[in-house]
Amino acid sequence: MVSLSQVPTPRAASDRAVAEDLDRSDQLAVYRERFVSPDPTLVYLDGNSLGRLPVTTAQRVAEAVTEQWGSGLIRSWEQWIDMAQSIGDEIAAGVLEADPGEVVLSDSTTVNLYKLAAAALDARPDRHVLLTDDDNFPTDSYVFQGLTAARGLELRVIETDLDAGLSTEAVQAAMDEDVALASFSHVAYRSGAIADMVAITGIAHDSGALTLWDLSHSGGSIPVPLRSAGADLAVGCTYKYLCGGPGAPAYLYVRKDRQGELRQPIWGWFGQQDQFAMTGQYDAAPGLARFLVGTPPVLSMIGVREGVAIVAEAGIGALRTKGQALTSYLIDLADEWLTPLGFRLASPRDVERRGSHVTLHHPQAWQICRALIERYDVVPDFRAPDRLRLGPAPLTTSYADVWEGLDRLRRLVESGVHESYPAQRSRVT
Ligand SMILES: *Cc1c(COP(=O)(O)O)cnc(C)c1O
């Protein structure tokens, strides 16, 4: 017979040893060493806003500066001229579900939204509606407001629940044959809710509309089923989960069979057929190159290549599995520790509907966010109107980080120290 004293007490989820066990069996744990992390006490829960710096990036950029630029000078363009396409192919193969020749690095996400949305509207001249939702990222909405205002078109905006995210039924209800283009975020920047790309693209196509997806919060963290969905167009950011560095160029995707049919509005020499013939007349390049504009930021592209290589090596499947486990663990801790302190989960509870970040609602989220950064060395971010966004990027975050971050958050709110912070927001949140 086993005496009672020999029976191990069951551990609560909030026992730190649970996090340590999860870290020991985490196959992606080794990737943490591939990133610079000079401050061991920092808990970084913002890899979904600015990914960490890969160890190799500083060296690769330094080599490009001293050797390619410093010594090679203009001769180095031989190496640089096709980088936007080759890194695009690396993103297509390792990050998205797309074919070679469908993805290219170019400009910023915002500029690419403008280029591709304009191209889509031009391709459906008999239709007058651009469909989006009110939970889309602000820059997407602004671009669409500008485009529809300039063209006298209607911007139709679906009302979306801030926590639950875009529903397929709402898209179905708003869709009709006036819609030229439907554009949404794949993962909502605030709640992390995943939109059903396959179903929504199908609904748009059934009524003859084109689709433009913003992948900024999904690319590098969850599978992006562009091919299964038959998605027409997409844009995405490289400085978040792809760890390309601040302001690194974005990528755009155009489905192969749409490339010849679409024309974007900024006719620059990188989109010109036979660019160096320097002819007087614009003649769009036949394939994806027609969506390029001007000279790309070479040094920044080098950072994108390093980040994308690590993401591809870790594998989107493994990153998705860990992202689900990390966010579920985070929610378990929040339920136990933070709900009693006035927090409420503002992300989908269903793991299949949730991307790789978790948002918590609290009326004093702004003050808590400031106090957490300044006094407790935990970096989340604040998202309006009253939410704390926690992004445990699966490539660079441990379970112990999540435990530590939430423990500090709990202690902070218990202490009430955030009450002394001004409610007035600063310029960058
Ligand atoms: C981060 C982000 C952007 C950023 O656009 P920039 O042009 O790089 O400033 C756009 N859309 C979404 C959904 C984002 O999350």
Side-chain angles (χ1 to χ4, degrees):
M1 237 180 84
V2 183
S3 85
L4 265 186
S5 63
Q6 286 173 308
V7 178
T9 9
R11 286 187 318 203
S14 55
D15 188 335
R16 197 180 204 281
V18 171
E20 286 160 5
D21 279 353
L22 288 166
D23 280 326
R24 267 190 292 276
S25 53
D26 173 15
Q27 294 182 350
L28 294 182
V30 290
Y31 284 92
R32 287 162 53 76
E33 288 158 26
R34 309 268 296 268
F35 292 84
V36 172
S37 84
D39 173 3
T41 62
L42 174 71
V43 176
Y44 191 59
L45 298 178
D46 217 355
N48 58 323
S49 230
L50 180 66
R52 280 186 183 272
L53 167 65
V55 171
T56 52
T57 297
Q59 192 191 338
R60 296 276 186 280
V61 172
E63 281 165 11
V65 169
T66 54
E67 291 163 29
Q68 296 176 21
W69 177 16
S71 302
L73 288 166
I74 202 158
R75 293 167 291 186
S76 295
W77 270 107
E78 289 294 333
Q79 280 163 273
W80 298 333
I81 194 74
D82 293 319
M83 263 175 81
Q85 279 91 345
S86 60
I87 299 171
D89 287 344
E90 287 155 23
I91 293 173
V95 178
L96 310 175
E97 197 191 81
D99 291 324
E102 290 187 322
V103 178
V104 70
L105 283 190
S106 169
D107 304 304
S108 65
T109 303
T110 307
V111 172
N112 289 328
L113 279 162
Y114 178 83
K115 284 153 51 185
L116 296 189
L121 295 172
D122 287 344
R124 294 284 181 278
D126 49 334
R127 294 172 174 234
H128 67 273
V129 175
L130 198 170
L131 179 65
T132 187
D133 78 316
D134 63 1
D135 194 29
N136 207 342
F137 193 77
T139 208
D140 303 50
S141 302
Y142 304 154
V143 164
F144 302 155
Q145 287 166 27
L147 269 171
T148 51
R151 291 159 184 245
L153 302 177
E154 177 193 333
L155 182 59
R156 187 177 293 168
V157 183
I158 298 171
E159 266 184 47
T160 294
D161 184 278
L162 291 194
D163 304 346
L166 181 66
S167 83
T168 305
E169 296 70 34
V171 177
Q172 179 76 67
M175 187 66 68
D176 61 30
E177 298 198 343
D178 293 329
V179 177
L181 173 68
S183 185
F184 306 104
S185 286
H186 185 205
V187 168
Y189 79 98
R190 187 172 13 223
S191 64
I194 301 176
D196 187 338
M197 179 183 284
V198 173
I200 291 172
T201 301
I203 291 168
H205 287 173
D206 284 347
S207 71
L210 294 167
T211 53
L212 167 54
W213 288 97
D214 189 329
L215 311 178
S216 294
H217 275 279
S218 59
S221 70
I222 70 167
V224 178
L226 292 169
R227 193 185 298 117
S228 317
D232 306 283
L233 305 163
V235 298
C237 183
T238 62
Y239 50 79
K240 294 173 179 160
Y241 290 106
L242 296 182
C243 303
Y251 58 90
L252 64 83
Y253 155 91
V254 182
R255 202 177 81 191
K256 198 65 136 254
D257 61 340
R258 294 278 187 223
Q259 293 175 5
E261 163 197 348
L262 298 174
R263 284 287 276 273
Q264 56 95 0
I266 308 174
W267 294 5
W269 69 319
F270 273 69
Q272 165 76 352
Q273 183 159 14
D274 199 5
Q275 175 184 7
F276 289 97
M278 303 283 192
T279 55
Q281 185 58 42
Y282 182 76
D283 191 6
L288 194 60
R290 65 172 54 193
F291 298 93
L292 299 179
V293 175
T295 307
V298 171
L299 299 176
S300 293
M301 289 200 296
I302 288 166
V304 177
R305 171 165 276 156
E306 293 305 304
V308 167
I310 304 180
V311 168
E313 185 189 321
I316 293 297
L319 289 166
R320 173 59 171 153
T321 303
K322 183 173 174 191
Q324 291 184 315
L326 275 173
T327 53
S328 298
Y329 179 59
L330 192 158
I331 290 172
D332 286 346
L333 293 178
D335 285 344
E336 185 175 334
W337 288 344
L338 302 177
T339 305
L341 298 173
F343 286 88
R344 174 177 62 74
L345 180 65
S347 294
R349 209 168 257 287
D350 176 359
V351 73
E352 297 300 330
R353 288 226 51 222
R354 190 172 71 228
S356 279
H357 69 267
V358 174
T359 297
L360 301 173
H361 170 273
H362 190 285
Q364 292 170 304
W366 167 248
Q367 288 117 299
I368 292 170
C369 184
R370 293 318 308 165
L372 201 54
I373 295 170
E374 287 171 23
R375 305 253 190 127
Y376 284 79
D377 217 8
V378 178
V379 179
D381 50 22
F382 168 82
R383 284 294 172 258
D386 42 23
R387 284 157 164 81
L388 196 63
R389 192 175 69 169
L390 306 170
L395 197 53
T396 53
T397 310
S398 68
Y399 294 88
D401 286 337
V402 170
W403 188 92
E404 189 62 39
L406 268 77
D407 182 56
R408 292 186 205 173
L409 174 55
R410 161 176 72 143
R411 287 190 278 119
L412 179 158
V413 178
E414 279 169 355
S415 78
V417 68
H418 60 286
E419 305 272 0
S420 64
Y421 279 74
Q424 180 68 34
R425 292 180 204 156
S426 59
R427 186 165 136 63
V428 177
T429 66

